[in-house]
Amino acid sequence: METELKDKIVSIEKPAIEAPPEWKPMIMGILCNWCSYAGSDLTGTSRIQYPPDIRIIRVPCSSRVDPWFIIKSLQAHADGVLISGCHPGDCHYISGNYYARRRFLVTKKLLNFVGLHEDRVQFSWVSAAEGAKFAQVVAKVSEDIRKMGPLHLYKKENTR
Ligand code: FES
């Protein structure tokens, strides 16, 4: 009787319990064509590994990045945005990256104002020869976003 019961218990299949899907950040990378995009390309051709959390969009120059692009990216389920351009003095449109930097600082203030952590949006200078630096930048942004967790718009974040 007891062995019969044990056999029955053993024969019961465990219900398939699915583990909750692991959250992975989605980062929108907006890179200038001449430096940062070429740098990201070099990362790939040099086979340098970096977190696969970034989706890259190429723009002619970092000055092309309208703050609206950032807000729209965050609205469209990005957890963070990375904007990257040429180093100061290297912009192919002379001073585009300076305009981009100014716009970026204002955008950060706007994000703070609406209650989002300002580090959800980051800015970097990466040249075409800095494949390793591009990988480091992406790894850092990814780590920062992972610490902050998924972005919940319409919910005030701890901005400190
Ligand atoms: Fe790269 Fe202007 S062309 S920032």
Side-chain angles (χ1 to χ4, degrees):
M1 175 82 175
E2 197 177 319
T3 41
E4 203 175 291
L5 189 61
K6 277 182 185 170
D7 288 345
K8 264 189 180 173
I9 291 170
V10 169
S11 69
I12 296 173
E13 284 186 22
K14 283 185 183 174
I17 300 171
E18 283 186 30
E22 188 193 336
W23 170 75
K24 290 178 186 159
M26 209 284 261
I27 299 164
M28 187 67 74
I30 309 177
L31 314 179
C32 95
N33 177 52
W34 301 100
C35 289
S36 299
Y37 186 80
S40 75
D41 210 19
L42 181 63
T43 311
T45 52
S46 308
R47 297 177 185 243
I48 300 170
Q49 302 238 328
Y50 61 88
D53 306 327
I54 191 163
R55 309 287 179 277
I56 293 174
I57 292 176
R58 177 168 46 168
V59 288
C61 173
S62 59
S63 63
R64 180 66 186 87
V65 180
D66 188 312
W68 193 237
F69 294 176
I70 298 170
I71 292 162
K72 277 304 215 183
S73 299
L74 295 173
Q75 262 189 334
H77 307 295
D79 298 298
V81 179
L82 168 67
I83 300 147
S84 190
C86 305
H87 283 274
D90 288 349
C91 175
H92 284 55
Y93 304 96
I94 303 170
S95 53
N97 49 4
Y98 294 119
Y99 287 106
R101 184 169 58 184
R102 275 189 226 156
R103 235 180 256 153
F104 172 72
L105 292 174
V106 172
T107 307
K108 274 196 160 231
K109 283 185 184 172
L110 174 71
L111 292 180
N112 251 333
F113 180 74
V114 298
L116 294 179
H117 197 295
E118 64 174 31
D119 284 347
R120 287 208 179 264
V121 181
Q122 299 198 23
F123 192 87
S124 70
W125 312 119
V126 175
S127 81
E130 294 177 319
K133 182 180 174 187
F134 181 76
Q136 287 170 1
V137 167
V138 174
K140 162 124 184 15
V141 173
S142 176
E143 191 189 318
D144 290 351
I145 301 291
R146 277 175 196 270
K147 279 182 196 160
M148 285 179 246
L151 174 64
H152 299 290
L153 281 182
Y154 316 113
K155 191 175 158 189
K156 193 167 171 43
E157 290 191 317
N158 182 6
T159 53
R160 296 275 164 189

